[in-house]
Amino acid sequence: MTQLALNLGQQTKLTVLTGDCAQLLPSLETESIQCCVTSPPYWGLRDYDHPNQIGAEPSPEQYVQNLVDIFRLVRKTLRPEGTLWLNVGDGYARNGGTGKCGPNAVVGNTKKLIQKRNCKVPEVWGLKDRDLMGLPWRVAFALQADGWILRSKITWIKKTAMPESVKNRPTNATEEIFLFAKSPNYYYNAQAVRQDTGANLRNYWMLGPDPGNHGHPAAFPRELARRCILLGSRVGDVVLDPFGGSGTTGIVANEVNRHAILIELNNSYADCARDRGDDVTA
Ligand SMILES: C[S@@+](CC[C@H](N)C(=O)[O-])C[C@H]1O[C@@H](n2cnc3c(N)ncnc32)[C@H](O)[C@@H]1O
């Protein structure tokens, strides 16, 4: 496959590719990306309306394997000192029962993929009805086993939590962001983002949602992307988001003078990312 080389001498700083990242990642130049900042769809949650979408696998095990395969491709595109900043969400197994909690129960968002499958999670990992799947750590361990160096787990504390109608557990208001390195000598600029006191940045980030979501149901806050990009890259570097969504990573990367490559499966989100960018190559 011909590799896509970014002409960094030109003004183009945001490149949005429409398609399946598993197919498009091999077209990126090997060892050309400094840092990847991304949030794949969470398993069994939203329907992004495409047969190749990640998150709609019949089992969470397959989801983990698909992410391992995709991030193996990402690793090839990273420079030796490159990093991956990965935000992954969790979910609950819904394995049956009847009535309010049964297979046809409406659990929050009625568009949940897990409900389309009649709430059935296949029998993997000994999951029982209502088990928290622990997916972020399952993905992290699988990536570690595949060769990534797991360097940090950052807890994103959401200032505004998504309302949940649960009465038998606390409302979820945190998510994980993992920092992975390609090699032990990776680039990390500890001076780029500090605590208010000037101390080294802590691994919990309290962030509120951005006003407006550009029509995307799962955009992450710009400040989340900004921190990862500033810590993980220099001015003029290339930042990648293979699950680009509404383009938050790319927009922020450009704001802090980095080039960005986004891949997004869904045409309308890819268009949205392009519209948000200054100077774009389709
Ligand atoms: C959680 S959202 C990312 C949101 C993004 N961080 C933002 O701030 O807008 C995940 C995105 O991955 C896209 N996606 C799902 N499967 C994909 C695939 N195989 N290749 C590329 N994009 C995919 C979905 O359409 C969705 O927009």
Side-chain angles (χ1 to χ4, degrees), residues 19-21 39-41 48 52-54 216 218-220 241-248 263-266 269:
D20 181 352
C21 61
S39 174
Y48 289 106
N52 292 5
Q53 67 179 309
I54 288 292
H216 197 290
F220 51 36
D241 187 343
F243 299 100
S246 61
T248 311
I263 305 175
E264 170 55 47
L265 193 59
N266 182 297
Y269 297 139

